């Protein structure tokens, strides 16, 4: 199935009928967890993750095959001087991804994950959201559909990441549209703004919010987002249709994902927060989304880097659950 | 070189002459980090870890080859009823390690690490430390030397773990001997004690501390420790001689390691805290040791599990540092 969405209404309708987790598989996994050769609860968060994954992948889930997709887009709002790096870096970094020189390339190698890079019309930046919607409906749907199409059913777990100079500004605007607050509440340093730069960025976000009041969900993605943000949202929904768990990366990925819960509160039930980013608004955003990150290592790179870093943790959780011996199998005495 | 230590004095002398980190390699790594294709600092803790590792392994360190050693020992203090599991579980779990059914087996598989299991005279538990030193000098040195001998020079990074019913009691006693406080300050739930069990455990620790007052360093390991704790200490020192970084596991591993800094304050300069365990005293112990854990996932299993889980994070840090392209290499514009 390709390019399934030709209107925002069609996308919203899809969000209203997402598949649910399999409660029976979770119960079976919980029962299995209780007889594995370890004190009850001794694997902590790993046990919770494995039981959660069973709801999407069955009683003994696995995560050998991991797909990482990095979407790239350019942002008209960079005209407002809200990034420490020039806009041409987006395309330069895409070339770096393609030749294997970026952080995400090394992280995918370590994690044994397959990397796809999807540049989205880089030569045509989105509109400056302080003066117009970043994207029209057709443009936004093209990006959503590109995200949907990029997800392969052949994997056990998905990471979506992004590259786009200026996109922490879009993400902060989306977070404010979703959860309230002003530009100053959500603007961070991005790739390295100083305090004056962050103040300018906050004002730009406020201008965007004033220009597009009351927007939410997929319409917010179009008005304040960007192609790579819409693509991540499309990929996350496609993964849900395929019952493939998603590890959410940092602030930008989380902000794109948060737009989905404005339309369907359970839209991210198949997602875990891979890490807490150092980027200003991320802790607040995860809290608003009721997500607890697996890692907290002060990363703030994007590219899917924090989620790719968490892949081996996720895989380890599932491997322990699915492959450990039970007390009975191993002839180990239980708690006295 | 095998069985190098025939007296505690010889071991202490070795601790007094440990090799230091290579400051020039660290400086070179710091300079390299600054030109990699990412905003400065955007890989957060991963950058610090890679620069730190350069001090032991050179400017572009790697961690492809990882050794995990699990030492096992039995503890006479189990006679005092301080564990939720019977003492025979130590040997049963060693068999489980050897047939691949335990958590550490799955974690080593996911991390691509080689696992060695070293049972230490399981049929002869150490003495009950409330009535006598757990080990005499010769016994303790045999365990230290076994740890030393188990470390292979063919690896880039080492994880030491343990199995030993009763050993959180020994570890808590060692932590109290090292940093002060009473049994209640350091006793946790171990494999699953209730509040009454923990109170009994605290009293047993206090009895041990009263029986062996003022003991420290390798002598504390002998008086209050156990064979697997002494072996971990010996392995950590051997790794230092080989300039192999060590990822410290949870409470028990950390307590054994802490005995070394009583003799030589810099003894753990080649070690990272892999994770913060859920076991009661671990947060306080890491704080006293001035170590910041990489992971915090509420594990409390031992077996080297938390450190094995952190291996891919450590490997990822080094891979990003050593293999990423520079701005110049990749033709990416730098911060404007």
């Amino acid at each position: 199935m390709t390019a399934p969405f030709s209107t925002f209404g069609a996308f919203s309708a899809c969000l209203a009928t997402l598949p649910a987790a399999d409660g029976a598989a979770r119960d079976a996994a919980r029962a299995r967890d209780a007889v594995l050769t370890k004190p009850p609860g001794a694997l902590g968060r790993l046990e919770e993750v494995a039981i959660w994954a069973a709801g999407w992948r069955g009683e003994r889930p696995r995560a050998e095959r991991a797909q990482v997709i990095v979407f790239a887009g350019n942002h008209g709002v960079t005209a407002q001087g809200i990034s420490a790096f020039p806009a041409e870096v987006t395309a330069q970094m895409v070339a770096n991804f393609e030749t294997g020189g970026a952080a995400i390339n090394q992280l995918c190698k370590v994690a044994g994950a397959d990397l796809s890079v999807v540049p989205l019309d880089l030569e045509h930046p989105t509109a400056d959201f302080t003066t117009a919607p970043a994207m029209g409906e057709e443009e936004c749907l093209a990006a959503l559909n590109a995200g949907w199409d990029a997800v392969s059913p052949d994997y056990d777990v998905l990471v979506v990441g992004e590259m786009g100079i200026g996109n922490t500004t879009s993400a902060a605007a989306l977070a404010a549209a979703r959860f309230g607050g002003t530009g100053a509440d959500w603007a961070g340093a991005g790739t390295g703004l100083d305090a004056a730069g962050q103040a300018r960025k906050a004002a730009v976000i406020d201008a965007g919010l004033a220009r597009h009041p009351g927007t939410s969900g997929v319409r917010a993605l179009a008005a304040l987002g960007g192609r790579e943000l819409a693509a991540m949202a499309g990929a996350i929904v496609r993964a849900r249709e395929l019952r493939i768990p998603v590890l959410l990366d940092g602030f930008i990925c989380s902000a794109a994902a948060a737009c989905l819960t404005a339309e369907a509160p359970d839209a991210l039930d198949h997602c875990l927060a891979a890490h807490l980013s150092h980027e200003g608004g991320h802790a607040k955003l995860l809290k608003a989304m009721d997500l607890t990150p697996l890692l907290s290592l002060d990363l703030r790179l994007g590219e899917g880097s924090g989620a790719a870093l968490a892949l081996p943790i996720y895989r380890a959780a599932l491997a322990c659950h699915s492959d450990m011996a039970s007390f009975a199998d191993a002839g180990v005495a239980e708690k006295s």
Side-chain angles (χ1 to χ4, degrees), chain A residues 88-177:
Chain A
E88 56 265 30
V89 165
T90 302
Q92 291 166 350
M93 283 301 297
V94 165
N96 198 23
F97 299 148
E98 285 167 351
T99 54
I104 191 60
N105 299 98
Q106 321 322 319
L107 294 167
C108 284
K109 254 190 233 174
V110 168
D114 292 334
L115 173 63
S116 313
V117 181
V118 183
L120 296 158
D121 213 1
L122 296 186
E123 57 284 15
H124 298 108
T126 54
D128 176 350
F129 67 57
T130 64
T131 59
M135 295 175 283
E137 180 164 4
E138 199 175 321
E139 267 181 293
C140 182
L141 288 166
L144 273 169
N145 287 334
W148 177 284
D149 288 342
V151 178
S152 162
D154 299 334
Y155 292 90
D156 302 311
V157 57
L158 175 66
V159 165
V160 290
E162 44 54 47
M163 176 71 218
I165 295 298
N167 68 9
T168 58
T169 301
S170 273
L174 290 172

Side-chain angles (χ1 to χ4, degrees), chain A residues 69 129 149 182 212 233 263 293 307 313 322:
Chain A
I69 314 175
F129 67 57
D149 288 342
T182 66
H212 310 284
E263 306 223 8
I313 306 287
S322 296

